Amino acid sequence: MAYIHDLRAKVGHMPLIMTSASGVLFDDHWRVLLQARADTGDWGFPGGYLEYGESFRQALVREYKEDAGRLIEPVKLLGILDQDFYTYPNGDEVQPINAVYLVKLANDENYPTKATETVTTAFVSLTQTPHFFNRQHEKMWQLAREYVKNNGSMND
């Protein structure tokens, strides 16, 4: 986060292209783990922006632990989302380039989440559609639904 904070100190609210990674974690009932965000209260997939020098996979593991309190392993790239735009409540404008991965748990431990980022997490049925943080998270929801429709299994 220091990288983004330092960058914003120089450029203010001007639109930025930012790289991010998010993960789709299913439970045994094909529900998806979502995060209730502290900044808007809306739902989204755990993940976030890369720090300078990180790969998508490294950022995803770090961000997932911070946002969802779980240590994960990326399994498979589900898609790259690159045509979305968002203005944060503070006025920061971004075009997030997001690598969306199917992930699995690396262990059964739960870790503390960042209170400034996460209110709670919950597994949500794909038959329900929560109010998402932004359009890109709606597209991730569709990627999760398409994965289940086409595969019906985590065994790849």
Side-chain angles (χ1 to χ4, degrees):
M1 193 67 168
Y3 170 71
I4 296 170
H5 182 267
D6 292 348
L7 186 59
R8 283 291 178 196
K10 293 179 170 94
V11 302
H13 299 300
M14 83 177 261
L16 295 174
I17 297 170
M18 302 289 294
T19 52
S20 60
S22 299
V24 177
L25 176 67
F26 292 105
D27 69 4
D28 293 338
H29 304 286
W30 294 104
R31 296 177 301 176
V32 178
L33 185 68
L34 297 178
Q35 160 200 25
R37 298 177 57 97
D39 58 353
T40 64
D42 297 322
W43 291 94
F45 286 81
Y49 295 119
L50 278 66
E51 294 286 338
Y52 185 79
E54 279 185 317
S55 69
F56 283 112
R57 288 172 173 267
Q58 290 168 329
L60 178 55
V61 170
R62 175 184 53 78
E63 286 282 351
Y64 216 96
K65 188 175 177 185
E66 291 174 4
D67 291 351
R70 294 184 172 82
L71 187 61
I72 53 90
E73 296 175 19
V75 174
K76 175 182 180 177
L77 181 66
L78 296 178
I80 300 285
L81 302 175
D82 60 1
Q83 287 293 299
D84 299 289
F85 305 89
Y86 184 73
T87 302
Y88 283 92
N90 70 354
D92 289 352
E93 295 181 61
V94 295
Q95 178 185 358
I97 310 301
N98 195 319
V100 183
Y101 286 88
L102 175 67
V103 301
K104 67 179 181 179
L105 289 175
N107 64 38
D108 291 331
E109 293 184 49
N110 287 318
Y111 301 89
T113 59
K114 284 189 170 183
T116 57
E117 295 185 21
T118 303
V119 175
T120 190
T121 60
F123 281 97
V124 178
S125 169
L126 289 170
T127 61
Q128 304 168 353
T129 303
H131 188 267
F132 283 110
F133 166 59
N134 62 25
R135 178 78 178 116
Q136 194 169 76
H137 287 263
E138 292 172 10
K139 290 179 180 179
M140 289 183 239
W141 184 255
Q142 289 306 318
L143 287 174
R145 291 174 59 108
E146 287 171 22
Y147 180 83
V148 171
K149 179 182 172 188
N150 294 332
N151 297 284
S153 172
M154 290 279 288
N155 300 323
D156 284 38

